Amino acid sequence: MARYEVFVPAAPPRVPMDLTLRLDADHWLGALKSGLKRLGEVQPTSNVLCDIQPDGSIHVTDPDSGRVFRIVELPAITPAGARPAVPAVAPAPAPRVAATPPPSAAATPAARPSSHAERVVATRTPISTPAHPIGRMAAVVKDEDALADLFHEAAEMGRITDRKAGLGFALDTAMRIIGCEAGTVFTADLGRKDLSFEVVRGPSADRLMALGMKIPIGVGIVGFCAQEDVCLAVSDVEKDSRFYRAVSEATGYQTRSLLCAPMSRHGQVVGCLEVVNKQGGKPFDQKDLAVLSYLAAQSAAFLGRIDG
């Protein structure tokens, strides 16, 4: 079994940012399918376009979405001092795949694929092990690994049947991965006029739930996110005129930074997922945005399943 890197382009909200996964598989197509399954992605259509690159990587284009996936077979890891093995060249299985002919052969009728079931066979150029997979920095690889694990972990929501338990799972996961002091899951009422505190975590959680407060949609940063259906990160809430101070004043808990993502289903916002005060005083980054956006989308789908 070989080791592959599979580059998966972003497809929000399910895959909110580009990812590169490392997977073991019998062949490149198996690696692609395994990666997409791990992310909960729909498998490509049976007819895909494959292009073998000079470096041996395989670019797979899904004609329906236009997304281009990239698969690279990694060299086998050998003991220290041993000569690295050259990756074996093995033909891919015979799925329903249409191979994209090289430009020089495209004008020759005989070079065109004779059927959609044509096998993709190419001479692979040995690939040297990069310092960082596919030219990415170590920090980027670490973030991508965390996101890939998140997609796998979030599948647990599909087995939860209690409303608060499911939303609490999403919030706890967001706070743990992003690293925040507090957080809230807001849900919208039927008339979409107010947001209620459905699940709260943090130092003032019990007091905030006891107050029974509601935030009108359009008021505050969370109300703005719900109204406009946008994800918003604010590094210093005191500098944002939209910040709604009533909650902090009522609980005595100081909000410094805030990240909020709408829970949207079928074009309608059903709530928001919000985390507060990133640990260490650091600003929210792209990975944090991707994590919260994904969990907000999963929370919206969860509510759709629970509420019917």
Side-chain angles (χ1 to χ4, degrees), residues 175 178-182 235 253 256-257 276-284 288:
M175 290 178 60
I178 297 174
C180 293
E181 297 177 1
S235 58
Y253 179 71
R256 300 182 300 276
S257 61
V276 172
N277 295 347
K278 188 170 180 177
Q279 295 170 350
K282 299 178 181 178
F284 294 105
D288 301 331

Side-chain angles (χ1 to χ4, degrees), residues 6 8-9 11 14-15 21 23 25 27-49 60-67 69 71 93 95-97:
V6 179
V8 181
R14 186 173 293 278
V15 182
L21 310 178
L23 304 157
H27 45 74
W28 65 265
L29 186 60
L32 176 59
K33 288 185 175 181
S34 178
L36 294 178
K37 182 178 180 181
R38 181 176 179 181
L39 300 179
E41 275 257 43
V42 176
Q43 299 292 316
T45 59
S46 56
N47 297 322
V48 294
L49 303 175
V60 179
T61 302
D62 180 3
D64 289 344
S65 65
R67 298 166 74 201
F69 305 90
I71 305 101
R96 291 175 57 81
V97 175

Side-chain angles (χ1 to χ4, degrees), residues 80-134:
R83 177 176 295 180
V86 176
V89 178
R96 291 175 57 81
V97 175
T100 302
S104 59
T108 305
R112 296 172 182 167
S114 57
S115 70
H116 288 299
E118 180 171 345
R119 185 188 301 264
V120 175
V121 182
T123 300
R124 300 285 305 280
T125 302
I127 306 170
S128 59
T129 304
H132 303 296
I134 311 189

Side-chain angles (χ1 to χ4, degrees), residues 64 130 141 254 260 277:
D64 289 344
V141 174
Q254 182 182 5
C260 184
N277 295 347

